[in-house]
Amino acid sequence: MIAAVLLLCAVGVLCSDDVKTPVCVPSHEAACLTPADYLNPSGPITKVLAVGMKLIISLEGLSGSFVCHWIRGEDRVMTVRNGSQSMVTSQLSETDSGEYTLTCKSNNVTMFSTTVILHVMKRPTKPQLMLDGVDVSDTFPLFKCISEGFPKPTIKWSGNKDGQQSLKGSDRKTESKVSSTEYYNRAMMCCATNAEGQECSQLYDYDLQSSVMNKDEVSTVTLSKGQSLLLRCRVKGYSLRSPVWEKGGKQLNARTFSCTPEKEEEMCIKNDSYFGVQMAYLSIRSVREEHSGTYTCTSANKNSKSVHVNVSDEGFLSAQLDETKIISAQEASSTCLQATVSYHPVLQYCSWETPDKNRTKCVRETWVTQHRTVKLCDPLISGDYKLHLEAGGQKETKIISVCVVDEPKFNFLFNKDDGTLNLETVSPVPANYTWMFCSESNDSCSEIDSSWDEVPNAFQIDSDVSCNKTIKSLVSKDVLKGDQFRFCLTNSLGSWCKTHYMIIPPTPQPSIGNPPEENSFLLTVCLVLVLQNPLPSIL
């Protein structure tokens, strides 16, 4: 590596004395590749990006006359010459995944050539959930779930069932089927998952044993054009007729709106029964604006339930996040930051940015059709955390200030010059504090004894807002009684008290005896001088 760098410096291809601002700073919108960092790679360079990101190939460190090519297969995708600082791709899609070659030449001599493998990851699409096998007589319909993504998503059904999965059309689409009899008397959901995340769709199920909505039954559904809608109402009773769906006062008859493969883009009704449960499905494979409205299902015993369907391509995004969070150092490694989000149609991007500028993907809920909360569960440090969101063509950033606090340490110091007892500590504020003294004998004072009294006018409130503030307080010995004193502080994390045992030296008293005679003092001094400086010997 060192030899390669020296060689390239010698020919003027690499190394520059100019100090410049970096051409590329990684973000959620762009990833960086700097060839100068890979002069002697042991193998292909792998870059993982999300759909919609750009790749910036920074030519920092290159000088002199050079030409660089970005090649895929036999095609030169990009070419730049000396004077350019970077090559920038367009926004990438999953089809841009693959193997590339980056080659730079100087004076027709190849200075380096390296292989770059791009993995452009795509979250699973919201699954299309629909009925299948409706035209096969004397069989129960199937539920079919289809999703696309890269890597190819895996589909699972409620209860963690795998279903019968198959590749559909390409290595990016997955199709899975399961018998409807698996869920004849309960709600159902299918979820598509890959390395980029999870998206789910559900059967909106309504039990007509009563007309009161159960907690799991949804009264409003918002969809985007092209998404699927699958509703079902059911009632238990062998002798009962199937429930009936209607919209806008118009009854949707199973014969008129029969489900056939030829009408897969239209609304259809499918009646079914299993173990005495009478069911009516309403399926729309690809919704349009005219499918918006209120759908009501009524059973033979006149119980009914309704759901309002709103088909809209108008996106929205909002988030709620606390402005501040104070936690103890002991809790910092086990506490999560959490925000509440609302969006349509999908939450395309979600990441947390730490105070030291690192980004990490949000932790989202699993097995939900809509992510209501997003979290960060890494060990926390003091500083500002940013939540970055994108959905419905909108972007939003929220900030929360985190304060990680240790248990306060109290430092006492007696100032003998002015006779004050001083205290210094560090604490988050707002906080309040005071001084206490023990009026009993030494043996009667304990940490929880009521024999402690508050020093008059010692209580103080610090109403500032700060993560860590140095608090200083003092009290005069003139108001203290005894030799045991206590300082107590209360902040947002709790209350602490520290006892200090103070020994004040006695004040010097004048001597009662007669003072020594002046001559004796002088004699002592003189003797000392003689002993320290003996006269020389005389021969």
Side-chain angles (χ1 to χ4, degrees):
M1 176 69 78
I2 295 174
V5 172
L6 292 175
L7 173 63
L8 292 174
C9 285
V11 299
V13 174
L14 273 176
C15 304
S16 173
D17 295 332
D18 298 332
V19 178
K20 300 179 180 179
T21 303
V23 172
C24 183
V25 177
S27 68
H28 75 283
E29 296 178 340
C32 301
L33 173 62
T34 304
D37 295 338
Y38 302 95
L39 295 177
N40 190 24
S42 58
I45 301 167
T46 300
K47 302 293 290 186
V48 179
L49 306 88
V51 165
M53 293 180 67
K54 298 180 180 180
L55 177 65
I56 301 176
I57 303 172
S58 171
L59 304 180
E60 288 181 294
L62 301 180
S63 61
S65 178
F66 63 86
V67 178
C68 293
H69 301 289
W70 179 244
I71 304 169
R72 186 178 192 182
E74 300 295 327
D75 299 326
R76 291 183 178 179
V77 182
M78 291 185 292
T79 298
V80 297
R81 303 182 184 277
N82 56 302
S84 299
Q85 289 187 302
S86 64
M87 289 189 284
V88 183
T89 69
S90 58
Q91 287 186 322
L92 299 171
S93 69
E94 65 270 26
T95 59
D96 294 312
S97 297
E99 185 175 301
Y100 295 78
T101 301
L102 177 62
T103 301
C104 289
K105 297 181 178 181
S106 178
N107 298 323
N108 292 324
V109 176
T110 299
M111 303 314 301
F112 65 86
S113 179
T114 186
T115 299
V116 180
I117 299 176
L118 294 187
H119 293 290
V120 185
M121 314 287 274
K122 179 183 178 182
R123 284 182 64 85
T125 57
K126 197 168 186 66
Q128 296 288 106
L129 177 60
M130 60 198 76
L131 292 178
D132 193 59
V134 292
D135 57 331
V136 181
S137 60
D138 300 324
T139 61
F140 300 104
L142 301 174
F143 292 138
K144 181 166 68 174
C145 192
I146 302 174
S147 178
E148 293 185 55
F150 190 80
K152 183 174 68 72
T154 298
I155 293 178
K156 285 187 176 293
W157 301 82
S158 298
N160 216 29
K161 296 181 182 294
D162 291 327
Q164 298 177 354
Q165 299 198 25
S166 62
L167 208 61
K168 183 68 177 179
S170 73
D171 60 353
R172 296 177 178 85
K173 180 183 289 186
T174 301
E175 177 182 297
S176 181
K177 298 179 183 179
V178 68
S179 173
S180 62
T181 59
E182 297 275 354
Y183 306 96
Y184 75 98
N185 61 350
R186 57 193 173 107
M188 177 274 295
M189 183 181 296
C190 71
C191 293
T193 308
N194 68 8
E196 281 294 290
Q198 183 187 81
E199 293 293 341
C200 302
S201 294
Q202 74 176 86
L203 163 71
Y204 296 98
D205 180 63
Y206 300 90
D207 184 357
L208 298 182
Q209 291 301 117
S210 73
S211 57
V212 178
M213 296 286 279
N214 299 329
K215 64 177 183 178
D216 295 329
E217 295 176 343
V218 178
S219 59
T220 302
V221 176
T222 300
L223 301 171
S224 294
K225 286 188 289 187
Q227 289 184 336
S228 63
L229 174 66
L230 185 59
L231 307 176
R232 181 182 70 185
C233 56
R234 54 186 169 84
V235 62
K236 187 173 179 62
Y238 283 96
S239 60
L240 296 177
R241 290 179 288 105
S242 296
V244 177
W245 284 101
E246 65 175 45
K247 178 191 176 187
K250 179 182 178 181
Q251 188 177 106
L252 306 176
N253 187 277
R255 292 184 178 179
T256 305
F257 294 91
S258 61
C259 293
T260 60
E262 299 81 34
K263 299 171 62 177
E264 62 181 26
E265 298 298 323
E266 299 296 328
M267 177 194 307
C268 73
I269 303 294
K270 172 68 176 177
N271 292 335
D272 194 20
S273 64
Y274 189 72
F275 276 137
V277 177
Q278 309 302 320
M279 294 169 277
Y281 291 94
L282 188 156
S283 177
I284 306 176
R285 293 179 178 238
S286 181
V287 297
R288 302 187 298 273
E289 289 184 5
E290 54 263 36
H291 292 131
S292 296
T294 299
Y295 294 81
T296 301
C297 188
T298 305
S299 65
N301 57 11
K302 303 304 180 181
N303 287 333
S304 65
K305 290 181 179 178
S306 298
V307 55
H308 181 75
V309 176
N310 179 35
V311 180
S312 173
D313 279 342
E314 183 177 350
F316 61 83
L317 170 65
S318 65
Q320 290 77 45
L321 178 64
D322 292 338
E323 294 183 357
T324 60
K325 189 176 187 66
I326 302 175
I327 59 173
S328 67
Q330 293 78 12
E331 298 173 325
S333 61
S334 59
T335 300
C336 297
L337 298 181
Q338 178 174 305
T340 301
V341 295
S342 178
Y343 60 87
H344 178 75
V346 293
L347 188 58
Q348 297 164 307
Y349 181 79
C350 181
S351 75
W352 292 90
E353 182 180 343
T354 63
D356 50 8
K357 306 304 179 184
N358 291 322
R359 290 206 185 197
T360 183
K361 291 180 183 178
C362 298
V363 176
R364 308 192 194 190
E365 302 152 287
T366 57
W367 289 94
V368 294
T369 56
Q370 193 88 348
H371 302 107
R372 302 297 182 185
T373 60
V374 293
K375 298 179 180 180
L376 173 69
C377 293
D378 293 340
L380 300 178
I381 60 176
S382 293
D384 287 345
Y385 283 79
K386 296 179 181 179
L387 173 62
H388 300 282
L389 301 165
E390 289 185 22
Q394 301 179 34
K395 298 181 180 181
E396 187 163 352
T397 298
K398 293 288 186 177
I399 300 176
I400 180 172
S401 294
V402 174
C403 180
V404 179
V405 184
D406 280 314
E407 183 176 324
K409 296 178 176 60
F410 300 119
N411 298 316
F412 294 93
L413 177 65
F414 179 72
N415 189 333
K416 63 182 179 180
D417 294 332
D418 59 9
T420 58
L421 182 58
N422 296 263
L423 179 284
E424 182 174 312
T425 188
V426 176
S427 169
V429 287
N432 59 68
Y433 48 90
T434 191
W435 288 89
M436 311 286 287
F437 68 93
C438 182
S439 59
E440 302 293 336
S441 62
N442 290 351
D443 296 336
S444 301
C445 299
S446 68
E447 292 298 319
I448 58 174
D449 200 350
S450 60
S451 58
W452 290 93
D453 296 319
E454 185 174 334
V455 173
N457 302 318
F459 182 81
Q460 296 185 58
I461 297 176
D462 192 325
S463 58
D464 287 346
V465 178
S466 176
C467 179
N468 287 296
K469 180 178 180 180
T470 299
I471 294 176
K472 296 181 180 180
S473 182
L474 60 85
V475 65
S476 172
K477 70 174 184 177
D478 295 336
V479 300
L480 299 176
K481 300 176 182 179
D483 59 1
Q484 296 187 49
F485 313 104
R486 177 179 288 183
F487 183 83
C488 293
L489 178 143
T490 299
N491 59 28
S492 58
L493 291 181
S495 298
W496 294 267
C497 288
K498 179 72 173 179
T499 302
H500 179 68
Y501 299 88
M502 185 171 64
I503 300 177
I504 302 176
T507 303
Q509 299 295 324
S511 176
I512 301 176
N514 295 325
E517 294 182 6
E518 184 177 350
N519 289 340
S520 65
F521 174 76
L522 293 174
L523 178 60
T524 303
V525 175
C526 290
L527 288 173
V528 172
L529 291 174
V530 170
L531 291 173
Q532 290 179 346
N533 299 282
L535 295 173
S537 300
I538 300 175
L539 298 177

